[in-house]
């Protein structure tokens, strides 16, 4: 058992175990411009083990996994596979050696079919041509293993984020790897899909497959992993048995301090209604939804995947057309036909899809932060010094770990990318901020910072709409929680007094008390 925080030993570099290793790294170092992502990491993993790898954003988890999967090359250090040193020169090279990775950021080709994505570069052929029918059959079998009913002939761009994640998992399974790396595999999955993934992990483990499992969701790390390795600031802190650890132990090791008062205190909301949407209908998604959010209020949205939360938010933000309904700002009707219209009315929307719609990944941190507000920095050409000052202030305020502010956003960790996406909209100083999954893929320490940021925005009199896939954070942060089911808002609960059972009950549409609600509500993506 991990002792109290005062007894945490100095950062060590080696974990010694008696069992033979299938994969081992020794004194691994990875240096990027102005960032030392890994600093002398050594660890050893045994065959058939499920090893958790955790740490705050920027701790080096994804960098380590990219090296093991051939995406990156180490600056210094050694990688040993079954006792022999290897040079993993590319993902294809790693796959040839039995290593496959499911990336945190989806790595699919939108315009290709599901089957074509799964077997990209390893197509089923007959007579020199792609055997489409056989490839679809093979893809369908792989999708069935992850309990996905997606048609393998569909284009990936037509799938939801959760469906795309299951395609990524099926793609990794198609390699028949002996070592499978999973980087935040459940971030966009429902509880039912997550349970199916855990069943699959148990099955793979019984077959001798070694799994490296990265996640910010500590309960699932303890549930699914045999041992857990903790990284902090690019260095190895310790490796502990999952059976001997608690969530508090892991959180303390990750951040190097106790996590007290995780959710900030709620302050009273104002009386003035900042935004009211009435009888909003979005064809195929939302039917007659009405809600209001006051100045200083944090309004949460809960519901099953597909309940219409994102679609309702996109309609209010001008990203999706309404068939009917009205929107009022400060008691006056407004017309919103585009995101530009919404911004003119002081309404900003943070997308749940930071990679596809939230950021321009090949541009720098500063350029992303000022992208929407760029006109303010033109005299008439862009004043780069002004832009840099504004960007540095957001970097400081949000604690973004990025090194040079012109560094490409693509090179940042997922959590730091999310902070850049938030900073882009804060730069516009909106009166109403709609946050769609703002803590997805963000570590426990950074989540706390985002909660405090939302609280501070509300304290300034701004109205915040908070859509989340985690019930505890909605209950811990929001003044009220609107529960959606099948495109309708079925109830609005008082945040401080609501329970997970109540929210689940309403979202699933189950009658008959908390017992039924609990059994039927595992899919809530609150």
């Amino acid at each position: 058992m991990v002792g109290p925080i005062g007894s945490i030993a100095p950062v060590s570099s080696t974990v010694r175990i008696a069992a033979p290793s299938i994969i081992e790294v020794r004194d691994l170092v990875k240096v990027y411009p102005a960032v030392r992502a890994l600093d002398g990491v050594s660890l050893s993993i045994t065959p058939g083990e499920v090893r958790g790898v955790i740490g705050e954003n920027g701790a080096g988890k994804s960098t380590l996994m990219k090296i093991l999967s051939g995406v990156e090359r180490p600056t210094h250090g050694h990688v040993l596979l079954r006792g022999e040193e290897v040079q993993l020169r590319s993902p294809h090279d790693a796959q040839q050696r039995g290593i496959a990775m499911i990336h945190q950021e989806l790595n699919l080709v939108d315009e290709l079919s599901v089957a074509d994505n799964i077997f990209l570069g390893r197509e089923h052929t007959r007579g020199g041509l792609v055997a489409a029918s056989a490839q679809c059959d093979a893809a369908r079998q792989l999708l069935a293993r992850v309990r996905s009913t997606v048609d393998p002939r569909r284009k990936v761009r037509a799938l939801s984020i959760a469906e795309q994640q299951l395609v990524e998992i099926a793609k990794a399974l198609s390699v028949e790897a002996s070592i499978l790396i999973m980087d935040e595999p459940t971030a966009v999955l429902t509880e039912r899909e997550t349970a199916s993934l855990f069943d699959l992990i148990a099955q793979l483990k019984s077959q001798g497959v070694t799994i490296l499992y990265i996640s910010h969701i500590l309960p699932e790390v303890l549930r699914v992993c045999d041992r857990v390795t903790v990284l902090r600031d690019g260095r190895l802190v310790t490796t502990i048995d999952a059976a001997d650890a608690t969530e508090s132990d892991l959180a303390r090791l990750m951040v190097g301090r106790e996590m007290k008062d995780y959710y900030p205190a709620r302050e009273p909301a104002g009386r003035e209604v900042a935004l009211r949407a009435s009888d909003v209908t979005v064809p195929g998604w939302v039917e007659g939804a009405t809600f209001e959010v006051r100045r200083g209020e944090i309004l949460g949205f809960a519901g099953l995947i597909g309940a219409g939360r994102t679609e309702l938010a996109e309609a209010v933000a001008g990203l999706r057309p309404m068939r009917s309904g009205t929107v009022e700002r400060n008691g006056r009707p407004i017309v919103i036909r585009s995101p530009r219209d919404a911004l003119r009315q002081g309404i900003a929307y943070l997308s749940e899809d930071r990679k596809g719609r939230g950021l321009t990944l090949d541009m720098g941190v500063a350029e992303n932060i000022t992208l929407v507000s760029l006109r303010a920095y033109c005299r008439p050409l862009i004043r780069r010094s002004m832009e840099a000052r504004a960007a540095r202030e957001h970097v400081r305020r949000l604690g973004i770990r990025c090194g040079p502010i012109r560094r490409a956003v693509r090179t940042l960790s997922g959590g730091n990318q999310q902070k850049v996406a938030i900073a882009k909209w804060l730069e516009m100083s909106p009166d109403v901020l709609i946050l769609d999954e703002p803590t997805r893929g963000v570590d426990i320490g950074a989540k706390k910072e985002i909660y405090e940021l939302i609280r501070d925005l509300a304290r300034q009199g701004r109205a915040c709409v908070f859509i989340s896939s985690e019930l505890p954070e909605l209950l811990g942060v929001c003044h009220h929680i609107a529960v959606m089911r099948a495109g309708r808002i079925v109830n609005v609960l008082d945040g401080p007094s609501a329970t997970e059972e109540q929210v689940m009950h309403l979202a699933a549409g189950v009658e008959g008390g908390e017992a039924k609600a609990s059994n039927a509500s595992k899919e809530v993506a609150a």
Side-chain angles (χ1 to χ4, degrees):
M1 178 69 70
V2 179
I5 187 167
S7 67
I8 294 177
V11 173
S12 61
S13 62
T14 305
V15 175
R16 298 184 182 278
I17 56 177
S21 63
I22 186 171
I23 191 164
E24 181 180 358
V25 299
R26 296 176 182 170
D27 299 320
L28 214 58
V29 174
K30 179 64 179 179
V31 179
Y32 296 103
V35 177
R36 197 176 185 89
L38 292 176
D39 188 5
V41 171
S42 297
L43 57 87
S44 182
I45 300 163
T46 56
E49 178 183 358
V50 181
R51 172 69 66 88
V53 181
I54 66 172
E56 292 189 277
N57 290 116
K61 309 180 301 296
S62 292
T63 299
L64 174 60
M65 298 308 146
K66 286 177 181 177
I67 290 174
L68 295 181
S69 62
V71 175
E72 298 278 3
R73 301 286 298 278
T75 306
H76 302 292
H78 311 276
V79 177
L80 288 80
L81 192 60
R82 300 177 182 87
E84 295 185 5
E85 185 166 356
V86 295
Q87 302 292 328
L88 301 173
R89 305 180 188 281
S90 68
H92 179 72
D93 184 20
Q95 288 179 7
Q96 292 291 100
R97 299 175 185 272
I99 304 172
M101 181 171 178
I102 301 165
H103 292 271
Q104 177 183 0
E105 300 293 350
L106 299 177
N107 193 26
L108 302 172
V109 182
D110 286 348
E111 295 304 318
L112 294 181
S113 70
V114 169
D116 289 341
N117 268 278
I118 289 174
F119 294 106
L120 188 61
R122 299 170 290 107
E123 290 80 4
H124 289 58
T125 59
R126 183 180 298 117
L129 300 175
V130 174
S133 179
Q135 187 159 283
C136 280
D137 289 342
R140 193 172 285 109
Q141 292 176 21
L142 289 165
L143 291 166
R145 292 185 67 184
V146 298
R147 299 183 187 177
S148 170
T149 58
V150 167
D151 186 339
R153 296 168 295 183
R154 288 181 68 187
K155 294 283 184 70
V156 162
R157 60 177 164 76
L159 306 183
S160 69
I161 298 295
E163 289 171 332
Q164 290 182 30
Q165 180 67 81
L166 293 176
V167 173
E168 276 279 18
I169 297 170
K171 179 180 176 181
L173 293 178
S174 71
V175 182
E176 297 184 356
S178 56
I179 300 170
L180 185 58
I181 301 171
M182 297 183 170
D183 193 353
E184 299 285 354
T186 66
V188 297
L189 301 184
T190 66
E191 187 71 19
R192 178 178 294 174
E193 291 164 340
T194 297
S196 297
L197 176 62
F198 290 169
D199 289 343
L200 176 62
I201 289 173
Q203 176 189 340
L204 293 171
K205 178 183 176 181
S206 70
Q207 297 168 359
V209 176
T210 300
I211 297 172
L212 281 69
Y213 191 90
I214 303 173
S215 178
H216 288 120
I217 305 174
L218 300 184
E220 73 180 33
V221 170
L222 293 174
R223 174 181 172 184
V224 77
C225 297
D226 300 308
R227 293 190 295 167
V228 184
T229 291
V230 184
L231 298 178
R232 190 194 315 143
D233 297 327
R235 305 183 69 193
L236 187 144
V237 176
T238 190
T239 294
I240 58 178
D241 289 337
D244 294 335
T246 66
E247 292 177 44
S248 296
D249 293 332
L250 298 184
R252 184 173 65 247
L253 288 165
M254 285 170 59
V255 302
R257 63 186 186 276
E258 296 284 357
M259 293 296 294
K260 294 181 179 179
D261 302 321
Y262 189 55
Y263 297 111
R266 275 171 281 230
E267 299 192 4
R271 294 176 178 271
E272 181 184 355
V273 175
L275 176 74
R276 178 179 175 82
S278 303
D279 297 320
V280 173
T281 295
V282 178
W285 291 103
V286 181
E287 188 67 36
T290 295
F291 71 90
E292 64 180 32
V293 55
R294 296 171 292 162
R295 291 190 175 278
E297 181 182 8
I298 304 169
L299 174 65
F301 269 82
L304 301 179
I305 295 295
R309 298 166 303 159
T310 291
E311 291 73 22
L312 175 58
E314 289 179 342
V316 172
L319 289 161
R320 190 180 289 265
M322 301 181 191
R323 184 170 65 197
S324 61
T326 60
V327 178
E328 297 177 8
R329 276 280 287 117
N330 300 324
R332 301 177 62 180
I334 59 174
V335 177
I336 298 177
R337 295 192 179 92
S338 68
R340 186 182 298 275
D341 289 342
L343 283 173
R344 289 196 187 103
Q345 297 294 337
I347 302 170
Y349 170 71
L350 174 73
S351 173
E352 66 173 335
D353 181 10
R354 66 169 174 259
K355 180 179 179 181
R357 304 178 68 176
L359 296 167
T360 305
L361 296 178
D362 290 323
M363 291 176 63
V365 172
E367 288 84 355
N368 269 277
I369 289 175
T370 61
L371 187 60
V372 179
S373 58
L374 192 58
R375 188 184 299 273
Y377 299 96
C378 297
R379 299 287 192 278
L381 301 178
I382 299 174
R383 298 285 295 275
R384 294 297 182 186
S385 60
M386 289 175 58
E387 179 186 56
R389 281 196 299 271
R392 288 194 187 98
E393 176 58 25
H394 288 292
V395 166
R396 182 198 63 79
R397 182 183 180 190
L398 298 185
I400 301 171
R401 298 180 184 179
C402 63
I405 60 170
R406 303 295 177 183
R407 181 182 176 188
V409 168
R410 182 182 298 280
T411 66
L412 304 187
S413 68
N416 283 303
Q417 288 182 6
Q418 184 73 313
K419 290 181 181 180
V420 172
I422 293 172
K424 179 177 74 172
W425 296 113
L426 293 183
E427 171 69 9
M428 295 298 295
S429 298
D431 288 328
V432 179
L433 184 58
I434 304 173
L435 301 154
D436 197 348
E437 303 287 2
T439 67
R440 176 176 289 166
V442 173
D443 67 69
I444 191 168
K447 281 185 178 183
K448 187 174 188 293
E449 294 172 357
I450 291 174
Y451 301 149
E452 291 172 348
L453 171 64
I454 296 172
R455 187 271 315 272
D456 290 344
L457 292 171
R459 180 188 285 166
Q460 295 165 16
R462 306 189 198 198
C464 299
V465 175
F466 186 3
I467 303 170
S468 173
S469 291
E470 297 186 32
L471 270 179
E473 67 181 10
L474 285 180
L475 297 172
V477 173
C478 299
H479 293 89
H480 295 92
I481 301 170
V483 185
M484 293 192 70
R485 182 174 72 244
R488 297 179 180 273
I489 296 176
V490 294
N491 208 334
V492 178
L493 303 176
D494 177 66
S497 62
T499 66
E500 291 190 38
E501 288 78 11
Q502 287 175 322
V503 177
M504 291 177 180
H505 189 175
L506 289 166
V510 178
E511 298 181 359
E514 290 187 356
K516 286 187 178 180
S518 177
N519 291 333
S521 59
K522 293 296 185 179
E523 285 186 55
V524 170

